[in-house]
């Protein structure tokens, strides 16, 4: 068989490379398209209101562009119609409260800036051209510095910072342009009308067409945070007393951990709660009873929930500590701990249900069952004093002394070896001395670094180390019960200030459902647990 031409081989190889490249490019394109579609669909499924808001923005922009597209409207407003488009893009927010806040800030800032600019222009006209320029420059400096300094005031920064920015922008545009343009009054009127048209369209879309209320979002967020904390506590305790050993190689990442998901929203909610409360304060009453809810009370409740969430974070940390109590020891306290967690979960879910339904919580939310579970846990802890006090104190001291003596002997042998090698003067001794010095420098470098293995061995040599991690876990569980009182007090205060309806034991038959956490082989949760109002 003859040898083929090398050029033919090169052509075949290049063709194969091109085909492979095309296939890979096609696969990458398909993957990118599928990933984009999944992202788009996921965003809509998470909150369908996003789709309606996008449509409202598109429709609003179409309306304001009619000022440009329709000839009669364009002749009446002119090039300033672009300000209406800018107003819709900037002002129309997701919730009605945010739109009202921005719209009123923009309108108020524009009105005040225009009034002040015309006053400055009226005074400047009485002077000559040079003095007029000096007067305008001085006015721009003074007003700009004063308005910027006002932005640092907490109340102004919180409520009217956007209005101050619009005030500065409008004032400088009118004042500076009035020096060169003679019909500045007409331009200002046209811009004010177009901004008013844009704000009017934004308010119409936000308040009357599928409105999204900031107050309702804050209300639902509070309910969700209570439910998330309840599910986290239950899942955490069930995971701690799970019979199977956790395989470290199969552990889920933290972002996928259902326990972490439950309390993450609580810890990250401070800024969101304050923003929603601020926007809700701008919204008109929109409920059936037509009165304002105390949004700042929701913020206070959120602060208390964050402090409660810190305890849940610490409980979750007990699952991941390096020193773990044997499961045979945990089993001695399993039942009382699970009952305490179940009662705390039940109380949190009942609080969430009361806020969700705008009613006051049950007077029996903290029942005798929780008190009895705490008593049983205390009795179980007292029944095992050897685990926490150390019954074999002599052996413990012996282990500690033996560990210390071994360390001392190792150190003395090293020092002795170094001193003997230093008195030798032959060549072999010199080489040994140099190698010994190298080893000593290496050991000194190791001493400067943390040695977790040695630390863990020394800790495990203590007799009470097995029960110490569980003592921390039980202490945090009791702390959660103590902080539950603060949460209940804030919810009751919210019910009083917001005029929630009274709890009626005959009508408010609440069934609290604890969802089973998705944790593999975790112990099953108690489903369909009735609250104390239904017992």
């Amino acid at each position: 068989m003859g040898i083929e031409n090398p050029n033919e081989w090169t052509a075949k190889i290049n063709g194969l490379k091109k085909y492979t490249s095309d296939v890979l490019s096609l696969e990458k394109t398909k993957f990118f398209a599928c990933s984009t579609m999944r992202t788009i669909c996921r965003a809509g499924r998470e909150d369908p209101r996003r789709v309606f808001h996008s449509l409202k923005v598109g429709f609003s922009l179409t309306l304001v562009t009619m000022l440009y597209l329709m000839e009669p409207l364009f002749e009446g407003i002119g090039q300033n119609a672009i300000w209406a488009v800018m107003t819709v893009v900037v002002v129309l927010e997701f919730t009605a409260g945010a739109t009202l806040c921005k719209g009123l800030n923009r309108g108020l800032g524009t009105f005040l800036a225009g009034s002040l600019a015309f006053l400055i222009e009226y005074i400047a006209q009485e002077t000559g051209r040079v003095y007029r320029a000096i007067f305008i420059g001085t006015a721009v400096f003074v007003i700009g510095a004063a308005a910027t300094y006002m932005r640092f005031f907490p109340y102004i920064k919180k409520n009217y910072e956007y209005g101050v920015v619009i005030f500065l922008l409008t004032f400088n545009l009118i004042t500076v342009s009035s020096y060169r343009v003679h019909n500045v009054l007409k331009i200002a009127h046209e811009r004010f009308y177009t901004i008013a048209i844009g704000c009017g369209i934004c308010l119409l879309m936000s308040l009357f067409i599928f409105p999204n209320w900031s107050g309702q979002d804050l209300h639902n967020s509070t309910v969700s945070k209570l439910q998330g904390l309840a599910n986290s506590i239950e899942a955490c305790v069930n995971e701690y007393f799970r019979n199977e050993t956790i395989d470290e190689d199969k552990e889920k990442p933290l972002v996928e951990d259902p326990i972490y998901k439950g309390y993450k929203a609580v810890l990250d909610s401070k800024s969101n709660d304050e923003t929603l409360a601020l926007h809700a304060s701008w919204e008109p009453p929109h409920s059936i009873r037509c009165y304002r809810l105390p949004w700042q009370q929701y913020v206070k409740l959120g602060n208390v929930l964050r402090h409660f969430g810190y305890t849940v974070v610490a409980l979750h940390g007990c699952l991941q500590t390096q020193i773990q109590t044997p499961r045979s020891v945990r089993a001695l306290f399993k039942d009382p701990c699970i009952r305490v967690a179940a009662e705390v979960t039940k109380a949190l879910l009942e609080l969430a249900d009361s806020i969700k339904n705008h009613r006051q919580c049950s007077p029996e939310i903290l029942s005798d069952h929780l008190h009895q579970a705490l008593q049983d846990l205390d009795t179980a802890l007292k029944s095992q004093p050897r685990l926490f006090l150390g019954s074999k104190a002599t052996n413990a001291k012996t282990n500690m002394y033996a560990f210390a003596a071994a360390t001392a002997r190792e150190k003395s042998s090293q020092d002795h070896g170094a001193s003997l090698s230093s008195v030798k003067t032959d060549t072999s001794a010199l080489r040994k001395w140099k190698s010994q010095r190298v080893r000593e420098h290496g050991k000194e470098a190791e001493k400067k670094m943390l040695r977790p293995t040695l630390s863990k061995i020394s800790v495990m040599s203590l007799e009470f180390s097995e029960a110490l991690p569980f003592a921390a876990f039980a202490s945090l569980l009791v702390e959660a019960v103590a902080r539950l009182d603060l949460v209940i007090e804030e919810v009751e205060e919210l019910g009083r200030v917001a005029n929630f309806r009274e709890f009626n034991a005959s009508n408010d038959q609440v069934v609290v459902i604890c969802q089973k956490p998705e944790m593999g082989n975790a112990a099953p949760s108690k489903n369909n647990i009735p609250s104390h109002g239904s017992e």
Side-chain angles (χ1 to χ4, degrees):
M1 183 174 63
I3 300 177
E4 296 186 8
N5 191 348
N7 294 331
E8 295 181 358
W9 277 102
T10 303
K12 290 181 179 180
I13 293 174
N14 292 335
L16 182 61
K17 288 181 179 180
K18 185 176 183 304
Y19 175 76
T20 305
S21 177
D22 293 341
V23 171
L24 292 177
S25 299
L26 182 62
E27 291 296 328
K28 289 181 180 179
T29 303
K30 290 182 179 179
F31 176 78
F32 178 76
C34 294
S35 177
T36 303
M37 288 300 299
R38 283 196 297 268
T39 303
I40 294 173
C41 296
R42 182 170 61 250
R45 285 195 302 267
E46 290 176 355
D47 193 350
R49 297 180 302 169
R50 298 171 180 172
V51 179
F52 292 103
H53 177 69
S54 302
L55 296 177
K56 287 194 297 184
V57 173
F59 185 67
S60 301
L61 290 173
T62 304
L63 287 178
V64 294
T65 53
M66 292 299 176
L67 300 175
Y68 254 87
L69 301 179
M70 298 181 68
E71 194 67 26
L73 295 177
F74 181 77
E75 291 178 356
I77 297 178
Q79 297 292 337
N80 290 303
I82 195 63
W83 287 83
V85 179
M86 293 174 58
T87 300
V88 171
V89 173
V90 174
V91 171
L92 188 53
E93 295 287 343
F94 182 72
T95 61
T99 303
L100 278 167
C101 180
K102 273 198 167 183
L104 295 179
N105 268 273
R106 189 176 181 87
L108 183 62
T110 302
F111 176 76
L112 293 178
S115 302
L116 184 60
F118 287 129
L119 178 61
I120 297 295
E121 174 64 17
Y122 177 77
I123 298 174
Q125 285 179 352
E126 302 298 328
T127 61
R129 187 168 182 82
V130 177
Y131 289 102
R132 183 183 179 191
I134 296 174
F135 183 78
I136 290 176
T138 304
V140 168
F141 170 77
V142 173
I143 298 299
T148 303
Y149 186 74
M150 288 178 61
R151 293 178 62 185
F152 295 105
F153 297 170
Y155 181 77
I156 298 296
K157 186 177 182 63
K158 180 179 179 182
N159 296 279
Y160 302 105
E161 184 177 18
Y162 180 70
V164 174
V165 173
I166 296 300
F167 170 83
L168 272 177
L169 175 64
T170 306
F171 175 80
N172 283 276
L173 286 175
I174 296 176
T175 304
V176 175
S177 61
S178 65
Y179 186 75
R180 299 290 183 183
V181 181
H182 297 289
N183 58 343
V184 65
L185 182 62
K186 179 182 177 182
I187 296 175
H189 283 170
E190 291 177 351
R191 289 184 179 179
F192 182 79
Y193 294 150
T194 54
I195 290 174
I197 292 172
C199 288
I201 292 176
C202 292
L203 295 179
L204 177 66
M205 287 293 175
S206 296
L207 295 176
F208 300 104
I209 300 179
F210 298 105
N212 301 320
W213 304 105
S214 298
Q216 189 63 37
D217 285 352
L218 180 59
H219 180 86
N220 295 336
S221 174
T222 304
V223 175
S224 177
K225 287 186 289 187
L226 283 166
Q227 294 173 346
L229 288 174
N231 294 331
S232 292
I233 288 179
E234 185 185 32
C236 185
V237 174
N238 288 335
E239 176 71 10
Y240 189 77
F241 291 102
R242 193 172 65 174
N243 293 328
E244 290 80 4
T245 303
I246 302 175
D247 189 355
E248 295 183 358
D249 296 335
K250 298 181 179 180
E251 284 184 347
K252 294 182 178 180
L254 187 61
V255 294
E256 299 179 3
D257 194 336
I259 302 176
Y260 173 75
K261 289 181 179 179
Y263 63 74
K264 179 181 182 296
V266 180
L267 301 182
D268 299 340
S269 64
K270 179 177 175 58
S271 177
N272 185 59
D273 287 354
E274 292 177 350
T275 302
L276 289 176
L278 172 63
H279 293 161
S281 64
W282 289 84
E283 295 176 349
H286 52 272
S287 61
I288 298 177
R289 289 167 289 181
C290 199
Y291 63 83
R292 290 178 177 272
L293 290 178
W295 306 119
Q296 290 303 321
Q297 189 64 35
Y298 280 88
V299 177
K300 293 180 181 179
L301 177 58
N303 294 332
V304 175
L305 290 179
R306 273 189 297 278
H307 284 85
F308 186 90
Y310 300 150
T311 306
V312 183
V313 174
L315 277 173
H316 190 201
C318 291
L319 301 179
Q320 303 168 345
T321 55
Q322 292 294 321
I323 309 299
Q324 290 285 346
T325 301
R327 298 192 177 274
S328 59
V329 177
R330 299 187 205 181
L332 299 174
F333 312 99
K334 177 180 179 179
D335 291 338
C337 286
I338 289 182
R339 279 192 288 136
V340 170
E343 292 298 326
V344 174
T345 300
K346 185 193 303 182
L348 290 173
L349 292 177
E350 209 285 325
L351 292 174
D353 187 74
S354 67
I355 296 177
K356 181 180 180 181
N357 297 318
H358 296 274
R359 66 165 177 81
Q360 296 183 3
C361 55
S362 170
E364 299 179 358
I365 186 171
L366 289 181
S367 66
D368 295 336
H369 296 285
L370 178 58
H371 180 71
Q372 184 61 42
L374 289 173
Q375 290 290 340
D376 293 344
L377 177 60
D378 182 64
T379 302
L381 293 174
K382 291 180 179 179
S383 65
Q384 303 292 334
R386 296 181 179 180
L387 292 175
F388 303 98
L389 300 179
S391 61
K392 300 179 181 179
T394 303
N395 292 336
K397 292 181 180 179
T398 302
N399 292 336
M400 295 173 64
Y401 292 152
F403 181 78
T407 305
R409 284 196 300 271
E410 182 181 358
K411 183 178 180 180
S412 62
S413 62
Q414 293 173 357
D415 296 340
H416 182 65
S419 61
L420 288 178
S421 61
S422 61
V423 298
K424 295 182 179 180
T425 56
D426 56 355
T427 306
S428 61
L430 183 60
R431 286 197 297 267
K432 286 184 179 180
W433 181 79
K434 289 182 178 180
S435 62
Q436 182 69 19
R437 293 288 295 174
V438 171
R439 287 196 298 269
E440 287 178 359
H441 284 299
K443 291 179 180 179
E444 289 179 0
E446 290 180 0
K447 290 178 182 178
K448 295 179 181 179
M449 300 174 61
L450 293 176
R451 303 177 67 183
T453 304
L454 181 60
S455 301
K456 187 174 180 179
I457 293 174
S458 62
V459 172
M460 291 299 295
S461 66
L462 303 177
E463 182 185 356
F464 60 82
S465 62
E466 289 185 345
L468 188 60
F470 174 77
F473 182 84
S475 175
L476 290 170
L477 191 59
V478 176
E479 177 66 17
V481 177
R483 295 195 177 191
L484 180 63
D485 289 336
L486 302 177
V487 177
I488 294 174
E489 290 177 3
E490 288 297 328
V491 174
E492 290 178 343
E493 180 65 20
L494 174 63
R496 285 192 296 268
V497 177
N499 294 322
F500 286 173
R501 61 184 176 87
E502 294 288 340
F503 177 83
N504 191 341
S506 60
N507 296 330
D508 296 322
Q509 298 293 330
V510 183
V511 177
V512 178
I513 300 177
C514 301
Q515 298 179 354
K516 182 177 180 181
E518 300 176 358
M519 303 194 64
N521 298 324
S525 60
K526 296 183 179 181
N527 296 327
N528 301 330
I529 301 177
S531 69
H532 303 300
S534 61
E535 291 179 353

